[in-house]
Amino acid sequence: MRNSEKNNSCLYNLLYVRFNEDMGRDEFFSYNLQYPTLYNFKNTYFNVDPNLLNGLNSTLKEDVYTFKNGLAEEENEANSLASQNALPKKHYRVVSSYAVTFNKNHILSAILNLMGFPGEFGPRYNQINNYNFDLLTGNRIYLEDIFKPGVDYMKLVSDYVNYKINQDKSLYYENESIEIPDDQAFYLTDDGIVIYFELDEIAPEEFGIPKFKISFEKFSQYINPRYYCSPDNVVSTRRKNRHTRR
């Protein structure tokens, strides 16, 4: 791969990620909620607009508690009905976790994993929420933004996903053929774009959430260099700041 296809320098975003956890339990409902809160560090080369961070933090927290409250309402209705019909009641459990999957070049990609368990079996509800933002503009990042201008990214991604499906058709619904929409769900990692689908959308529920990673290295000729970081082009912001002060 040519070095010109990578960003000449790749900077970490200096954001502090605080871990939040909220737990509770009663007779038929319990929850363990984990979600992040993002803050600027002081005296760094770049600070994110506090309004953007506040809005993102509020959205993350709201999405977690909206999911939890929805399951709590379902538990109350289901067990009230069970009581009326002399049926056994079910215990409901809600779990959330998160990951900041890409945090460089003023780009942030984070995910929430939200899972709901009615009864003693696997999750009936299992979803990923993505949060992809340009920290310079405050705009949400879409799949189109990650590719160079003029790239037919929807065909490229569709062809790749269908190729991966055809490698092991037994994991997916019969005759499944994917056409990626422009609002396709995804998140970024250091080494690629993860395309994912909802539970039971293209594969049986028992196989979980289908994911397909498009490697930055393998598809570098199509990728906007701003999104492609590698160990040899990551710059230490602390070192950069010391050099600037001299």
Side-chain angles (χ1 to χ4, degrees):
M1 181 181 55
R2 301 186 302 275
N3 289 333
S4 60
E5 294 173 347
K6 293 182 290 187
N7 195 357
N8 290 331
S9 63
C10 190
L11 298 175
Y12 286 99
N13 304 325
L14 293 182
L15 290 174
Y16 172 65
V17 183
R18 188 181 76 186
F19 172 83
N20 301 286
E21 187 169 31
D22 183 12
M23 294 176 287
R25 183 180 182 89
D26 60 26
E27 185 177 7
F28 293 106
F29 187 80
S30 63
Y31 58 91
N32 186 340
L33 309 178
Q34 299 175 1
Y35 60 93
T37 305
L38 307 172
Y39 298 99
N40 282 309
F41 281 108
K42 294 182 178 179
N43 303 318
T44 62
Y45 77 100
F46 172 76
N47 281 333
V48 181
D49 183 345
N51 292 324
L52 171 60
L53 288 183
N54 290 339
L56 179 56
N57 290 334
S58 295
T59 298
L60 288 161
K61 184 176 181 179
E62 180 180 348
D63 287 353
V64 168
Y65 282 94
T66 297
F67 183 79
K68 173 250 185 183
N69 292 337
L71 266 290
E73 291 179 7
E74 181 178 322
E75 180 272 324
N76 184 61
E77 293 175 359
N79 284 333
S80 293
L81 186 62
S83 181
Q84 294 170 16
N85 292 278
L87 297 172
K89 294 183 179 181
K90 291 183 179 180
H91 179 266
Y92 278 63
R93 179 166 59 97
V94 177
V95 177
S96 77
S97 61
Y98 72 89
V100 177
T101 58
F102 190 92
N103 192 26
K104 300 184 182 75
N105 284 352
H106 310 113
I107 296 162
L108 178 74
S109 186
I111 55 173
L112 285 176
N113 294 93
L114 304 169
M115 303 180 73
F117 301 79
E120 301 301 324
F121 300 101
R124 177 187 297 172
Y125 306 100
N126 184 1
Q127 69 184 61
I128 296 176
N129 290 7
N130 65 74
Y131 308 85
N132 304 305
F133 282 93
D134 185 330
L135 300 180
L136 289 175
T137 64
N139 295 332
R140 184 175 286 274
I141 292 171
Y142 295 95
L143 197 56
E144 177 183 14
D145 301 319
I146 305 169
F147 293 88
K148 293 178 180 178
V151 172
D152 188 351
Y153 70 95
M154 287 193 288
K155 182 178 187 305
L156 185 151
V157 176
S158 298
D159 287 349
Y160 180 74
V161 170
N162 284 313
Y163 164 74
K164 298 299 287 185
I165 288 174
N166 287 329
Q167 285 187 317
D168 196 344
K169 294 182 178 181
S170 63
L171 298 178
Y172 305 93
Y173 287 130
E174 188 176 358
N175 299 322
E176 190 66 54
S177 181
I178 302 300
E179 291 187 12
I180 296 295
D182 56 6
D183 60 350
Q184 172 64 44
F186 74 94
Y187 58 90
L188 299 170
T189 67
D190 286 345
D191 58 353
I193 311 163
V194 178
I195 303 295
Y196 68 91
F197 297 85
E198 293 183 5
L199 199 68
D200 200 34
E201 182 178 356
I202 67 170
E205 183 176 333
E206 58 266 27
F207 292 122
I209 296 175
K211 300 178 183 178
F212 306 87
K213 179 176 284 187
I214 297 175
S215 164
F216 285 151
E217 183 175 5
K218 291 181 179 178
F219 290 87
S220 61
Q221 61 181 309
Y222 306 107
I223 301 297
N224 182 334
R226 183 182 177 195
Y227 294 84
Y228 181 33
C229 294
S230 66
D232 61 348
N233 70 345
V234 174
V235 176
S236 169
T237 53
R238 291 183 179 181
R239 187 176 304 166
K240 181 180 179 68
N241 288 339
R242 286 200 297 269
H243 177 75
T244 303
R245 288 197 296 268
R246 290 178 180 173

